[in-house]
Amino acid sequence: MTSFDTTPQLNVWRALLALAVVFVMLATTGWTAMRNQRGATPLQASLSAWEHGRIAGHRLPDPQSEPAKLARFFASLTERDRASLVRKYPLAVGNMNGAPVELRYRANRIALAKAREVERERMHDQRLTPAGKYEAGRRLHRFDDLMEKGRHILAFDPEGSGRVAEVFGDLRTADRVSVVVPGVDTDLLTYQRTHRKYSAPAGMAESLYAAERKASPSTRTAVIAWADYTAPSGLGIDSATAMRAEEGAVRLNALVRALPGGAPVSLFCHSYGSVVCGVAAHSLPGRVSDIAVAGSPGMRVESAAQLHTRAQVWAMRDADDWIQDVPYLEVGGLGHGADPVSAGFGARVLSAQGAKGHAGYFEPGTASLMNFAEIGVGAYRSVHCAHEDGVCRTGLSGTAAA
């Protein structure tokens, strides 16, 4: 989901004008220096405990070590030792790039159960307002949902509005891996929804996974719903600048570098998620074969060449998407640069027919979803271009993996 889904276009213009004033105020008041000055979060506490922990008399490795080093560490342990670490440090292991994915799933299930109990207690805490108790109940039900049998939670952090990543398919055996990067107003409570299911990260990824399997049944695919960065909340200073995108880009890069195997990776970046992907592009590993953006406010560059990536860059925008009316510029840190679907940008422009507005790109039956699926399985010659000349397929010969 993004709050852009329903915000009137006029409000966007007003917000951007107001942000220019806000930006100056923040720069002169030292607001950013006041942030995050509080106690350790549950995840930080788990990581701190890990750093002081031992296994078989030996100190545990730095949790920020290279994924390959951490993978070797876990491979050297007995199953009993691995299970012990999961029980003692569930949040640390569940978010540790380099830990085996199955171990992360187990650890996050334990972490979710603990977080659920915290919210259960908060629901009956007389110190909370009715609104606070209601919020605790919503979080408890979300944790219940994430703990349902068959779900594979790759990352989870209950702090604040929360972060989560989920895998559809088998990451270990996948021939191709897709990562869905959502936009503003993404958190634990908006991660999935019943109404307008495919406008939320879980629904986006589930829809893409089904479409990829339909596009190429013989291709083993895995799709990650990646809501594991702190997205901007609504239209404000965060959504008009790259601050959240820069933080998210570091996390996205870490995710991709920690994925098992060597399968090609395609990024599908919606709305502000395309800003994250744009900032991350130059540092992503070579296994990233595609960066596809939909409903993008810009990628913090003036052309695809400035992304400095070997990945194919794709872009689409539905004719009814109101984001086309946002100024495509960057001035003093405000705004996100050129329009990725413009002729001068240099992306391969895809059809988004049927998407219906800003939030409909992953709806089943749309050309946008079909195009994403063809890219996800590597069937580049099957994509539908935005223009009848087929120029978006020029120079490509990819077919789905056998």
Side-chain angles (χ1 to χ4, degrees):
M1 172 191 177
T2 72
S3 67
F4 289 156
D5 296 347
T6 56
T7 303
Q9 296 173 11
L10 181 59
N11 284 349
V12 179
W13 288 89
R14 289 173 175 169
L16 287 173
L17 289 172
L19 286 174
V21 177
V22 174
F23 181 76
V24 173
M25 292 174 64
L26 295 179
T28 58
T29 59
W31 175 82
T32 54
M34 297 295 292
R35 305 188 67 188
N36 300 323
Q37 293 186 4
R38 53 180 180 154
T41 68
L43 175 54
Q44 289 168 345
S46 185
L47 287 169
S48 178
W50 169 282
E51 290 170 349
H52 292 88
R54 290 180 175 270
I55 192 79
H58 299 286
R59 293 193 63 178
L60 300 175
D62 183 345
Q64 302 302 322
S65 298
E66 286 295 317
K69 179 179 179 180
L70 290 170
R72 290 193 297 270
F73 164 74
F74 282 103
S76 72
L77 301 177
T78 65
E79 177 56 34
R80 182 176 179 178
D81 286 342
R82 284 192 286 268
S84 175
L85 292 178
V86 165
R87 288 193 304 271
K88 291 180 180 178
Y89 318 105
L91 275 173
V93 176
N95 291 278
M96 194 173 294
N97 290 317
V101 291
E102 296 84 359
L103 211 61
R104 293 179 68 170
Y105 299 158
R106 285 162 51 190
N108 283 320
R109 189 170 184 82
I110 294 173
L112 278 161
K114 291 184 176 181
R116 180 178 60 182
E117 291 310 306
V118 169
E119 299 305 329
R120 195 185 308 278
E121 292 180 8
R122 293 181 68 240
M123 286 179 65
H124 302 288
D125 188 339
Q126 297 306 312
R127 294 170 298 179
L128 288 184
T129 64
K133 292 179 181 179
Y134 174 73
E135 185 79 359
R138 292 183 66 199
R139 287 170 63 91
L140 182 148
H141 290 305
R142 171 62 71 244
F143 299 155
D144 272 339
D145 291 338
L146 294 174
M147 291 181 66
E148 287 179 355
K149 186 176 180 180
R151 300 192 73 165
H152 304 300
I153 307 304
L154 186 65
F156 168 65
D157 183 357
E159 177 64 17
S161 59
R163 297 195 296 252
V164 63
E166 182 175 8
V167 177
F168 296 81
D170 190 337
L171 276 177
R172 294 180 307 160
T173 62
D175 298 315
R176 308 272 309 193
V177 176
S178 298
V179 182
V180 175
V181 183
V184 305
D185 283 343
T186 295
D187 56 35
L188 281 169
L189 293 180
T190 62
Y191 172 71
Q192 66 184 59
R193 60 160 63 96
T194 302
H195 178 59
R196 297 174 69 238
K197 174 180 179 179
Y198 303 111
S199 65
M204 291 176 178
E206 181 183 349
S207 181
L208 178 58
Y209 181 58
E212 288 181 349
R213 296 180 72 184
K214 182 178 180 180
S216 180
S218 63
T219 304
R220 294 172 299 185
T221 65
V223 179
I224 301 173
W226 190 74
D228 192 29
Y229 80 105
T230 302
S233 178
L235 282 172
I237 191 68
D238 286 354
S239 63
T241 69
M243 182 176 69
R244 295 297 187 194
E246 288 167 355
E247 297 169 354
V250 173
R251 299 184 66 83
L252 180 61
N253 192 18
L255 166 84
V256 175
R257 292 184 181 280
L259 292 176
V265 176
S266 299
L267 305 181
F268 298 94
C269 320
H270 178 239
S271 195
Y272 189 86
S274 66
V275 185
V276 177
C277 291
V279 174
H282 74 281
S283 61
L284 292 168
R287 67 185 294 189
V288 175
S289 57
D290 306 278
I291 301 174
V293 303
S296 174
M299 299 180 75
R300 303 297 295 184
V301 292
E302 294 305 310
S303 69
Q306 292 179 2
L307 293 172
H308 301 295
T309 177
R310 289 180 292 175
Q312 300 291 340
V313 180
W314 310 83
M316 66 171 71
R317 186 175 62 223
D318 181 69
D320 295 327
D321 191 337
W322 66 262
I323 207 166
Q324 63 190 305
D325 294 324
V326 172
Y328 282 94
L329 48 81
E330 187 275 321
V331 179
L334 290 171
H336 301 301
D339 182 355
V341 302
S342 64
F345 189 82
R348 297 174 182 273
V349 184
L350 298 162
S351 170
Q353 187 173 357
K356 295 182 181 178
H358 190 66
Y361 293 97
F362 290 84
E363 286 281 346
T366 59
S368 50
L369 178 64
M370 181 174 64
N371 277 327
F372 281 164
E374 299 290 9
I375 292 170
V377 300
Y380 301 131
R381 296 297 299 172
S382 298
V383 300
H384 288 72
C385 302
H387 308 293
E388 294 183 1
D389 56 13
V391 69
C392 78
R393 296 189 297 269
T394 301
L396 297 177
S397 59
T399 57

